[in-house]
RNA sequence: GCCACCUUAGCUCAGUUGGUUAGAGCGUUAGUUUUGUAAACUAAAUGUCGUCGGUUCGAAUCCGACAGGUGGCUCCA
């Protein structure tokens, strides 16, 4: 049985075995780096004009199995670095040669200049600079630090998964190599298990569910990265935004409204034009000579509202809130469903406050965030991102230190799980990043609260203090959901489309047993009663079997299904069918129709995750 | 933006080495049935085979460009 703790060595050895197979098939192959990674391994390969596709995988895997069955020992050899360079030259391995030359040049400072993948491949310990190590398995020799398994038969279960382009040494100025990925585990069962989990994740894919549940669409005519939301999807967006807003309105935030474009000048002042100019959508006026831009963020606009009149220290904090769409011209290759789009809607807010008010403001926002993520049923932890000792930051050091302390106090006061990281702050201020873990264990960054010392400066924002002197306010940016699109991408996959009642586009589906007018009239009345309570309800009158109508309601993941027929007309009671994830008990319960509707309406209003029925 | 792959009905997908009027299931529509907690029966309609151009006697099929998508790389205020 293979040694489980040795899994990295197994994966790394598989990278070598894959390289061996490639070399057998294409002797002219030039190799880059081939490390072990989470769940597997990869190797970067340059085959000149030859492209490997997934169709080649069976042949490569067969060749790999031959190497594995031959059970060649992995033999370690060391040689002086100059000899190694000569070897690389002789064997026409320019990438290895480049790494070795860097290694020689960098000497003892090596660790800083090479990334870990490269270190793993070439043998990067300071002590080994003079003598680098090679590993030999059968007829294949590779520059490598190791470690490896004893012999090629000891590598466990593997599968080649995909081929991708990857820039040499991760730099897009460098040529692109072909990266072959594989997954590998010590035991066959683990590999099978992993592949099954991948399939599970695929079933939850928000792009797939978005189509199946009729939530959002894309159109070639509108363009890539520009999602449009159907009536159902729009309910999700609006309920989420409404909730996010209400959590802040409680703390004195007021709604504002800004147009979605502006003159270029606004971003020249804010500094975004110089820094992010190539991500801005430009809009040309046919009437004037002004250059317009679609807004890629909202803060500069909001400063204009703040600055529209003189502010007293008594007025602060001034808090603006707006759910509004921003536009960024993302590179096409980076777009992805709802998680990376060109039009994103932020539940954005900006508080303008005094330095001594930071803690209280952050406290409020943390409390709002905590409530929001508890309500949607996702566990939250936060990262406090501080400055480091370099001078890459704007604003006085005292201000930073005071602000960082206030951030931390607010996080502790809210009993949030947190960790601190120096050097992760933005140049304009420290921040708090929100990370949530979804139902299948993946962590996503959803939103940030950021302190900003720079924008008030650039826009010359001020207030008058008690001595009549002009002072600079601090700006606090916050989006609790982040972008609604991105949040939905995470949330759809978290819930697998089974939304809680308050978010469900359709909360109750009424199924009629037959098409007799008594039944239809009764269903109509129940529907009207439900709508009066503010419920989202749909009646399925189709001339289909009740089984089929239940099936289609279940597939639509409607929280409550009620069947209406003569029995219900007589008893005025229903036995609601409750979506499995919401039910607390397993037995069906019969309730009076009016009580049922009231209960659901209450659950919707109080945003519960489970039903009390 | 870069590399690889993909694009056939509303959806999921077949379509043999280029060869007549391009198929299936689900969905939709119509009729029959009047249904009791996860799929009733019968019939019908539906396609610029992503777009444009090329090769060919002939293109869904081969080639090119463009658009859109997928997986990576690079990026993400």
């Amino acid at each position: 049985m293979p040694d489980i703790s040795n899994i990295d060595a197994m994966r790394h050895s598989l990278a070598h075995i894959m390289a061996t197979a490639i070399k057998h098939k294409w002797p002219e192959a030039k190799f880059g780096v081939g490390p072990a990674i989470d769940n597997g391994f990869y190797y970067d390969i340059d085959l000149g004009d030859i492209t490997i596709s997934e169709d080649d995988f069976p042949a490569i895997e067969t060749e790999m199995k031959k190497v594995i069955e031959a059970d060649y020992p992995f033999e370690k050899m060391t040689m002086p670095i100059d000899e190694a360079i000569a070897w690389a030259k002789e064997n026409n391995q320019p990438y290895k040669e480049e790494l070795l030359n860097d290694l020689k040049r960098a000497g003892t400072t090596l660790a800083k200049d090479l990334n870990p993948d490269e270190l793993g491949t070439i043998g990067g310990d300071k002590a080994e600079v003079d003598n680098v190590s090679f590993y030999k398995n059968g007829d294949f020799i590779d520059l490598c630090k190791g470690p490896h398994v004893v012999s090629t038969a000891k590598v466990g279960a593997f599968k080649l998964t995909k081929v991708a382009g990857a820039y040499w040494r991760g730099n897009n100025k460098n040529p692109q190599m072909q990266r072959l990925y594989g997954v590998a585990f010590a035991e066959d069962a683990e590999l099978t298990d992993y592949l099954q989990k991948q399939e599970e994740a695929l079933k939850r894919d928000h792009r797939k569910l978005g189509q199946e549940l009729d939530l959002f669409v894309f159109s070639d005519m509108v363009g890539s990265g520009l999602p449009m939301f159907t009536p159902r999807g729009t309910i999700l967006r609006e309920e989420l935004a409404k909730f996010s807003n209400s959590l802040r309105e409680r703390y004195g935030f007021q709604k504002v409204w800004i147009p979605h474009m502006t003159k270029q000048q606004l971003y020249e002042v804010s500094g975004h034009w110089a820094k992010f100019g190539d991500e801005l959508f430009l809009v040309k006026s046919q009437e004037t000579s002004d250059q317009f831009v679609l807004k890629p963020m909202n803060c500069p606009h909001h400063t204009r509202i703040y600055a529209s009149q003189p502010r007293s220290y008594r007025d602060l904090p001034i808090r603006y809130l707006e759910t509004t769409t921003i536009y960024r011209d993302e590179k096409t290759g980076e777009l992805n469903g709802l998680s990376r789009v060109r039009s994103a809607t932020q539940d954005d807010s900006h508080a303008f406050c005094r330095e001594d008010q930071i803690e209280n403001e952050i406290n409020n926002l943390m409390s709002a965030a905590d409530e929001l993520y508890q309500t949607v049923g996702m566990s939250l932890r936060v990262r406090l991102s501080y400055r480091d000792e370099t001078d890459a930051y704007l604003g006085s050091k005292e201000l930073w230190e005071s602000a960082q302390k206030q951030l931390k106090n607010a996080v502790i006061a809210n009993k949030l799980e947190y960790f601190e990281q120096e050097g992760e702050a933005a140049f304009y201020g420290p921040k708090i990043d929100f990370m949530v873990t979804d139902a299948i264990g993946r962590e996503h960054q959803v939103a940030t609260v950021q302190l900003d010392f720079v924008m008030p400066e650039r826009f010359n924002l001020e207030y008058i203090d008690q001595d009549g002197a002009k002072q600079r306010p601090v700006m606090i940016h916050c989006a609790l959901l982040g972008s609604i699109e991105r949040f939905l991408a995470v949330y759809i996959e978290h819930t697998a489309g089974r939304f809680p009642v308050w978010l469900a586009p359709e909360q109750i589906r009424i199924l009629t047993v037959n098409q007799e007018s008594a039944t239809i009239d009764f269903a109509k009345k129940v529907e009207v009663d439900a709508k009066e309570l503010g419920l989202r309800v749909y009646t399925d009158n189709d001339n289909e079997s009740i089984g089929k109508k239940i099936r289609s309601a279940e597939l639509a993941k409607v929280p409550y299904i009620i069947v209406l027929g003569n029995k219900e007309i007589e008893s005025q009671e229903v036995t609601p069918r409750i979506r499995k994830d919401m039910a607390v008990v397993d037995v069906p319960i019969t309730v009076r129709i009016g009580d049922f509707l009231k209960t659901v309406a209450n659950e919707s209003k109080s945003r519960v995750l489970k039903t009390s029925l």
Side-chain angles (χ1 to χ4, degrees):
Chain A
M1 185 175 145
D3 179 0
I4 309 260
S5 66
N6 213 18
I7 185 70
D8 281 347
M10 292 168 70
R11 286 173 179 152
H12 183 48
S13 298
L14 275 163
H16 277 230
I17 292 169
M18 180 167 73
T20 309
I22 298 282
K23 185 94 181 164
H24 288 170
K25 244 173 114 58
W26 294 282
E28 71 283 10
K30 300 179 179 69
F31 295 96
V33 297
I37 52 171
D38 283 353
N39 301 317
F41 59 92
Y42 70 76
Y43 217 121
D44 285 348
I45 297 154
D46 179 357
L47 283 175
D49 294 336
I50 300 167
T51 57
I52 296 179
S53 83
E54 291 180 18
D55 298 340
D56 298 314
F57 284 179
I60 297 171
E61 284 178 342
T62 305
E63 187 62 28
M64 287 173 73
K65 278 173 189 150
K66 275 191 210 158
V67 176
I68 290 169
E69 272 161 31
D71 199 15
Y72 300 112
F74 276 99
E75 298 169 66
K76 184 174 181 175
M77 312 178 290
T78 59
M79 65 173 86
I81 192 150
D82 287 325
E83 225 172 279
I85 292 170
W87 170 88
K89 238 184 212 127
E90 199 176 303
N91 287 279
N92 196 22
Q93 291 296 340
Y95 298 101
K96 300 288 184 190
E97 192 183 329
E98 184 183 325
L99 291 174
L100 284 164
N101 278 321
D102 275 12
L103 182 56
K104 187 180 172 185
R105 186 157 10 95
T108 51
T109 61
L110 172 79
K112 277 197 170 167
D113 294 346
L114 294 180
N115 74 39
D117 291 353
E118 292 168 357
L119 277 173
T121 304
I122 64 174
D125 281 346
K126 287 172 190 168
E128 290 185 39
V129 169
D130 294 332
N131 281 295
V132 293
S133 62
F134 283 77
Y135 276 84
K136 175 174 186 294
N137 54 284
D139 58 349
F140 183 76
I141 301 178
D142 198 2
L143 171 67
C144 174
K145 182 189 176 188
H148 280 285
V149 291
V150 180
S151 63
T152 56
K154 308 279 191 288
V155 290
F158 76 98
K159 185 177 190 302
L160 299 188
T161 50
K162 56 201 170 197
V163 55
Y167 295 106
W168 168 234
R169 307 186 78 170
N171 186 332
N172 65 0
K173 305 265 187 308
N174 285 340
Q176 211 161 29
M177 306 180 75
Q178 299 183 70
R179 178 173 294 178
L180 268 62
Y181 283 93
V183 290
F185 293 91
E187 303 292 336
D188 288 348
E190 288 176 90
L191 178 63
T192 312
D193 190 50
Y194 172 81
L195 294 173
Q196 266 170 8
K197 283 210 176 101
Q198 292 293 104
E199 267 177 52
E200 269 306 302
L202 228 53
K203 278 186 204 156
R204 287 172 176 260
D205 190 307
H206 74 276
R207 293 165 298 196
K208 185 170 176 290
L209 287 169
Q211 185 186 65
E212 284 173 8
L213 300 176
D214 187 24
L215 301 174
F216 57 88
V217 295
F218 290 90
S219 159
D220 286 5
M221 271 192 236
V222 174
S224 64
L226 298 167
M228 288 166 284
F229 286 76
T230 63
R232 284 173 177 268
T234 304
I235 288 167
L236 283 176
R237 288 171 64 94
E238 295 198 337
E239 287 295 329
L240 284 166
K242 206 199 299 174
F243 184 40
S244 166
N245 286 345
S246 73
L247 288 171
R248 273 173 289 183
E249 282 169 315
R250 177 188 297 178
Y251 295 115
F253 281 85
Q254 296 174 294
K255 280 192 189 163
V256 293
W257 189 92
I258 58 174
H260 290 200
M261 52 187 267
T262 169
K263 289 200 293 185
Q264 170 182 341
Q265 193 195 350
L266 184 70
Y267 298 130
E268 284 170 353
V269 174
S270 71
H272 294 110
W273 181 262
K275 204 162 179 193
F276 303 106
D278 58 342
E279 277 192 50
L280 302 178
F281 281 109
L282 304 180
V283 181
K284 186 103 199 79
S285 168
Q286 299 188 59
E287 298 293 331
T288 69
S289 60
D290 290 330
Q291 174 66 60
F292 288 94
V293 182
L294 288 179
K295 69 178 162 77
M297 77 272 300
N298 310 310
C299 15
H301 278 89
H302 285 182
T303 69
R304 300 302 78 212
I305 303 177
Y306 175 89
S308 62
Q309 48 175 283
R311 308 290 179 179
S312 146
Y313 70 97
R314 287 186 230 266
D315 299 332
L316 300 187
I318 285 176
R319 309 176 182 93
Y320 297 142
L321 175 64
E322 182 172 13
T323 301
T324 181
T325 305
I326 58 163
Y327 304 87
R328 294 177 185 179
D329 198 1
E330 303 276 357
K331 289 175 187 159
T332 52
E334 285 152 9
L335 300 170
N336 177 288
L338 289 185
S339 36
R340 197 77 181 265
V341 289
R342 294 200 286 182
S343 64
T345 307
Q346 295 179 324
D347 58 329
D348 208 2
S349 72
H350 295 101
F352 301 85
C353 67
R354 307 190 304 257
E355 285 175 31
D356 63 297
Q357 293 173 321
I358 293 174
E359 183 170 338
N360 190 47
E361 284 307 295
I362 299 291
N363 207 348
N364 293 347
L365 293 171
M366 288 299 107
S367 149
D370 189 32
E371 182 169 348
L372 188 142
Y373 284 96
Q374 263 184 38
T375 304
V376 296
M378 302 185 88
S379 68
L380 180 69
R381 68 183 191 130
V382 302
R383 175 175 64 202
L384 288 162
S385 300
Y386 299 150
R387 64 171 292 165
D388 54 28
E389 287 308 310
T390 65
D391 53 6
Y393 305 93
L394 292 171
S396 79
K397 214 170 166 195
E398 296 71 44
L399 178 54
W400 274 81
E401 269 163 20
S402 151
Q404 289 177 181
K405 197 156 160 258
Q406 293 187 68
L407 286 188
K408 187 171 173 180
N409 286 345
V411 167
I412 291 171
N414 280 283
K415 299 191 173 64
L416 293 171
E417 187 191 334
Y418 72 96
F419 63 101
E420 297 163 282
Q421 240 172 337
E422 281 189 11
E424 282 293 306
F427 71 91
Y428 50 80
K431 59 178 181 173
I432 302 176
D433 295 311
F434 296 64
M435 343 262 278
V436 296
T437 306
D438 73 14
I440 52 178
R442 297 171 299 186
E443 192 166 57
H444 307 268
Q445 192 189 316
V446 280
T448 62
V449 173
Q450 304 198 349
L451 257 50
D452 190 341
F453 310 136
V454 170
M455 207 172 297
E457 193 81 34
R458 285 188 179 270
F459 282 102
N460 200 24
L461 303 183
E462 40 197 35
Y463 65 89
I464 309 296
D465 69 12
Q466 45 273 65
D467 303 322
K470 286 178 180 171
Q471 297 290 343
R472 189 78 72 213
V474 172
M475 221 173 147
I476 301 173
H477 310 259
C478 170
L480 295 179
L481 297 164
S483 102
I484 292 185
E485 288 77 7
R486 194 179 153 72
F487 177 83
L488 276 175
V490 171
Y491 194 59
I492 289 169
E493 297 187 8
H494 173 66
T495 57
R498 291 184 287 262
F499 304 114
V501 182
W502 68 280
L503 281 172
E506 184 181 343
Q507 299 169 311
I508 302 174
R509 185 170 298 186
I510 299 170
L511 310 184
T512 53
V513 171
N514 55 45
Q515 272 65 55
E516 285 159 15
S517 59
T519 314
I520 290 178
D521 291 347
F522 183 62
K524 198 89 242 154
K525 188 183 173 303
V526 174
E527 182 181 328
V528 168
D529 289 351
K531 283 187 171 154
E532 265 171 26
L533 288 166
L535 291 168
R536 298 183 287 267
V537 54
Y538 170 77
T539 305
D540 184 352
N541 262 327
D542 284 1
N543 180 8
E544 293 288 353
S545 72
I546 198 70
K548 184 160 185 173
K549 292 203 263 191
I550 284 169
R551 180 178 150 81
S552 89
E554 288 278 355
L555 290 175
K557 306 188 178 178
V558 180
Y560 295 103
I561 301 165
I562 55 174
V563 176
L564 299 184
N566 291 332
K567 222 166 73 186
E568 287 74 20
I569 296 176
E570 231 161 76
S571 69
Q572 295 292 311
E573 290 180 336
V574 282
T575 308
R577 200 182 154 105
I578 301 164
R579 204 180 58 206
K580 281 190 198 72
D581 60 294
M582 294 168 44
V584 179
V585 288
D586 227 3
V587 286
I589 289 170
T590 302
V591 285
R592 293 197 62 77
I593 293 172
D595 294 343
F596 165 71
L597 295 179
K598 267 184 230 153
T599 304
V600 177
N602 280 334
E603 286 176 353
S604 175
K605 205 175 151 210
S606 55
R607 301 190 172 93
V608 297
L609 289 173
K610 298 269 177 189
T611 181
S612 55
L613 281 171

